[in-house]
Amino acid sequence: MKPEHTNIHESIRAGSLIGKYLTGKESAKEKAQLKDWLNEDARHQQLFNTLKKNGNIADAMEEFGVHDKEQAWKRYTERLAALSLRKMLFRWKVAAVFFFLVACTGILAYINSGWNSLPGNESYTTVSTNNGQNSRIILPDSSVVWVNSGTTLSYNTNFAAKNRHIRLSGQAFFKVARNEEMPLTVTCNDLQVKVLGTEFDVSAYPEDQNISVVLESGSVKLLHANDKSFGYTLSPGEKAEFNVARGNLSVNKVNSYNYTSWKDGILIFEDAPMRDVIEKLERWYDINIEVKNENVYKLVFNATIVNESMGDIFDLIKFSCAVNYKIIPSDKPEVPVQVILSN
Amino acid sequence: MVNTSRDSEIKLGNGEKINLKDFFTAYYPAFNSFAAGYIADPAVCEDVVQEVFISFWEKQKTFPNVYAVKAFFYTSIRNSCLDFLKHTIVEEKYRAINKNRNESTESFLEEVLRKEAYSEIYNEINKLPEMGKNVLLLILREKSNEEIATILNIAVNTVKTHKARAYKVLRKNLNDLFLLLFPFPKHLPHS
């Protein structure tokens, strides 16, 4: 059986052939095509014979004639005009935010000593995502970065010419093009992740206590910006957690895909503490989650989420953790949807 | 950004262009009639069709050709209608229609074919002057020249003049159809 869209195209084509034929507009070629179509199947001939019945044509013409097309067109263009205006305003808003972020990170990068060389005229490319969205970018050296929601990532404009430095706040998955001469480094706070060519995930949201680095394949080296004695080489399947406040590192074995699956649009929770679940869901769906009862934080959650709606996820949490939830919708785009959890 | 003026054009992947207004005027009746196969209330049908036209404009994606555009409309209209029926408490008979449609891709495809064919005819008939259109519709209702003359309050000869023009629009010489199915007998009249 043919896929449905091929069938639809076929129906449209046959319908228009019949219409042209019945109005005597068909070309010789179209006439031949119609003949082929009719000979293809006895049902086609039946359909054709019903279609050309005078009464049926008259019925259709009367049905087609009931709507006021001019009025409908007027309504349509009015709505389009309103939409255009809204889109224009939205674009303008996005642009303003974007420029603001560029300026802001530029200053931050300049005053931060984490960079090895910072001539005053160096400029940065910044990519940032809001909560509820993520994106994929390709760096000048053809490395690919998946940027998760609520993340800012910046690199200097001559990236890959002299060095490969990236600053990150938030979460990103890197697929780094191998270049032994020029290692790629990702800096978040004091932690530097140095890499030759590998696939790894870095999660460093400012609100998190830990910066975590999960390695999928290859090898990366973790360094401290101000402490030369600090250093650890991570192996595939390992997750390193760097405590920002205390400056120490803990490493354990994990199923790395649980941490990197978000780039494929999949969220995996495996015995995940509710605090982590809440933070991830807040970013993923761009919502505010309020916890009414501290006991909720003691729960763990297990689920694999692929393209599920927000309501479905909370239903899942409700059934598997015995937690009640209430979604408070928002009618303003700048106010996030609120979800209240209690048990 | 798509210009919403009457000349706004939508470019297709194969290089063709669709004039938004022409397309709207030519297909609005067919799409409404298609929606009417699912939903009895014509006002709801109009809302559904309007919404799909809006999302067509918002999509801003390049459709490869005009078939893809129409397929988008028919499928979206069907889905919106089924959605509407699912979410509304409707009379038993609409639900029966819905169920029937839901089960059969065949009837969906047949319906698309019908609307396409009748749309061609409708747009062609619309080129006739008002009186010509009225005469043609009455011919289709199998009225005689005299009956038509009485109904429209015109002379029988005027009916005949309109009829001649109407026949140019709508093929009535069905001998030709015979030819179409069995192409061999060359002696049959050909219009």
Side-chain angles (χ1 to χ4, degrees):
Chain A
M1 183 145 171
K2 280 183 270 184
E4 185 167 313
H5 76 267
T6 331
N7 286 330
I8 284 208
H9 289 196
E10 190 55 31
S11 293
I12 294 169
R13 193 184 69 99
S16 113
L17 284 177
I18 295 170
K20 279 188 182 154
Y21 177 76
L22 291 177
T23 49
K25 278 193 312 178
E26 87 286 4
S27 66
K29 194 176 151 208
E30 284 167 332
K31 192 167 176 173
Q33 286 173 342
L34 178 60
K35 202 176 74 189
D36 289 343
W37 183 80
L38 287 170
N39 288 329
E40 228 169 67
D41 195 325
R43 279 176 303 175
H44 291 175
Q45 286 168 33
Q46 224 172 18
L47 191 57
F48 178 77
N49 287 330
T50 332
L51 269 170
K52 71 174 171 54
K53 283 209 175 86
N54 287 345
N56 290 340
I57 296 178
D59 287 345
M61 292 311 107
E62 272 167 22
E63 196 184 26
F64 276 37
V66 293
H67 299 287
D68 186 340
K69 285 182 291 179
E70 283 302 319
Q71 195 58 38
W73 169 252
K74 212 177 135 228
R75 181 177 159 207
Y76 180 51
T77 45
E78 278 167 6
R79 289 188 61 191
L80 287 190
L83 257 171
S84 287
L85 190 70
R86 229 173 38 225
K87 270 203 173 153
M88 217 162 70
L89 288 173
F90 177 75
R91 268 169 211 214
W92 184 81
K93 246 156 64 186
V94 168
V97 170
F98 180 71
F99 288 130
F100 172 71
L101 285 172
V102 169
C104 193
T105 17
I107 292 162
L108 277 180
Y110 185 72
I111 56 173
N112 196 307
S113 56
W115 290 95
N116 297 333
S117 60
L118 275 178
N121 59 358
E122 202 158 13
S123 54
Y124 293 89
T125 305
T126 298
V127 179
S128 50
T129 52
N130 292 327
N131 281 346
Q133 47 173 228
N134 50 35
S135 72
R136 196 184 76 144
I137 54 169
I138 296 168
L139 296 174
D141 68 337
S142 73
S143 294
V144 186
V145 187
W146 284 261
V147 186
N148 206 348
S149 26
T151 296
T152 302
L153 178 143
S154 56
Y155 53 91
N156 50 346
T157 34
N158 58 7
F159 183 88
K162 282 189 300 187
N163 58 45
R164 294 198 288 171
H165 287 328
I166 294 172
R167 290 193 153 266
L168 174 75
S169 162
Q171 186 171 30
F173 178 82
F174 298 85
K175 190 171 181 178
V176 178
R178 196 175 183 94
N179 183 346
E180 311 242 356
E181 317 275 294
M182 203 188 289
L184 182 139
T185 52
V186 179
T187 310
C188 2
N189 283 325
D190 289 338
L191 187 76
Q192 287 186 341
V193 184
K194 195 169 178 180
V195 56
L196 298 172
T198 180
E199 295 180 12
F200 65 104
D201 180 84
V202 178
S203 172
Y205 285 103
E207 64 271 29
D208 291 354
Q209 292 172 336
N210 292 325
I211 295 171
S212 73
V213 182
V214 175
L215 188 62
E216 210 163 82
S217 68
S219 82
V220 298
K221 204 164 186 176
L222 306 178
L223 300 164
H224 195 280
N226 306 317
D227 182 358
K228 298 280 176 237
S229 65
F230 180 98
Y232 183 82
T233 304
L234 209 59
S235 313
E238 274 186 339
K239 178 192 182 199
E241 280 188 297
F242 177 74
N243 187 298
V244 180
R246 279 175 294 182
N248 61 4
L249 192 76
S250 65
V251 178
N252 42 19
K253 280 263 173 207
V254 293
N255 179 359
S256 66
Y257 193 64
N258 290 2
Y259 296 87
T260 61
S261 60
W262 57 265
K263 70 178 195 297
D264 306 321
I266 302 169
L267 273 184
I268 301 175
F269 296 112
E270 214 177 85
D271 291 331
M274 199 47 82
R275 199 178 289 275
D276 291 359
V277 175
I278 288 170
E279 264 175 25
K280 276 193 180 152
L281 291 180
E282 280 185 329
R283 287 194 285 259
W284 195 259
Y285 291 104
D286 191 17
I287 51 174
N288 254 338
I289 301 178
E290 194 189 312
V291 175
K292 278 271 179 238
N293 191 326
E294 283 292 311
N295 282 338
V296 171
Y297 288 125
K298 291 179 186 153
L299 300 163
V300 291
F301 182 53
N302 285 295
T304 299
I305 294 163
V306 190
N307 284 332
E308 253 112 335
S309 77
M310 197 174 74
D312 291 343
I313 310 299
F314 284 105
D315 275 339
L316 219 59
I317 296 180
K318 182 180 169 184
F319 291 121
S320 65
C321 305
V323 168
N324 283 320
Y325 75 90
K326 196 176 149 197
I327 296 178
I328 302 163
S330 151
D331 47 2
K332 294 192 198 102
E334 64 273 19
V335 179
V337 172
Q338 177 99 0
V339 181
I340 297 174
L341 295 183
S342 56
N343 73 343
Chain B
M1 184 156 300
V2 175
N3 187 342
T4 56
S5 77
R6 51 171 49 242
D7 300 320
S8 106
E9 277 180 335
I10 286 150
K11 272 196 191 142
L12 301 179
N14 62 359
E16 284 176 34
K17 282 178 192 156
I18 293 182
N19 178 297
L20 192 58
K21 166 137 200 190
D22 289 349
F23 183 74
F24 186 94
T25 340
Y27 278 91
Y28 192 76
F31 290 154
N32 268 292
S33 149
F34 178 73
Y38 298 90
I39 298 171
D41 184 347
V44 177
C45 293
E46 287 211 59
D47 285 347
V48 166
V49 174
Q50 284 271 352
E51 268 329 302
V52 175
F53 265 104
I54 292 279
S55 74
F56 170 65
W57 179 82
E58 271 191 311
K59 272 215 150 31
Q60 314 251 331
K61 79 165 198 180
T62 314
F63 290 92
N65 51 44
V66 76
Y67 289 127
V69 173
K70 288 178 181 175
F72 165 79
F73 272 93
Y74 286 117
T75 333
S76 308
I77 292 170
R78 173 180 68 163
N79 292 343
S80 304
C81 287
L82 293 180
D83 244 32
F84 173 83
L85 291 172
K86 228 189 282 173
H87 291 113
T88 324
I89 302 153
V90 284
E91 289 166 47
E92 212 42 54
K93 60 175 174 180
Y94 303 151
R95 231 180 291 167
I97 294 169
N98 171 20
K99 205 173 157 215
N100 184 29
R101 285 300 162 83
N102 220 353
E103 277 161 7
S104 161
T105 308
E106 201 104 304
S107 69
F108 165 68
L109 293 175
E110 250 180 57
E111 214 45 44
V112 168
L113 186 147
R114 276 204 190 93
K115 298 310 166 199
E116 280 297 312
Y118 286 144
S119 203
E120 287 282 348
I121 299 175
Y122 177 79
N123 289 323
E124 214 45 44
I125 290 182
N126 252 347
K127 290 179 189 162
L128 289 172
E130 202 52 39
M131 192 53 84
K133 239 187 283 182
N134 294 337
V135 170
L136 200 151
L137 283 174
L138 289 168
I139 299 170
L140 289 174
R141 292 293 182 202
E142 316 282 354
K143 302 279 188 228
S144 69
N145 288 353
E146 288 70 26
E147 283 172 307
I148 295 173
T150 320
I151 293 167
L152 297 175
N153 199 16
I154 50 175
V156 174
N157 272 335
T158 321
V159 173
K160 284 180 183 164
T161 321
H162 281 299
K163 208 167 171 175
R165 263 187 235 151
Y167 276 175
K168 280 189 187 139
V169 169
L170 207 55
R171 184 185 301 257
K172 282 288 107 188
N173 186 349
L174 291 178
N175 284 333
D176 192 59
L177 183 71
F178 201 70
L179 263 182
L180 190 80
L181 291 171
F182 308 99
F184 309 109
K186 287 202 174 68
H187 59 273
L188 279 175
H190 190 286
S191 70

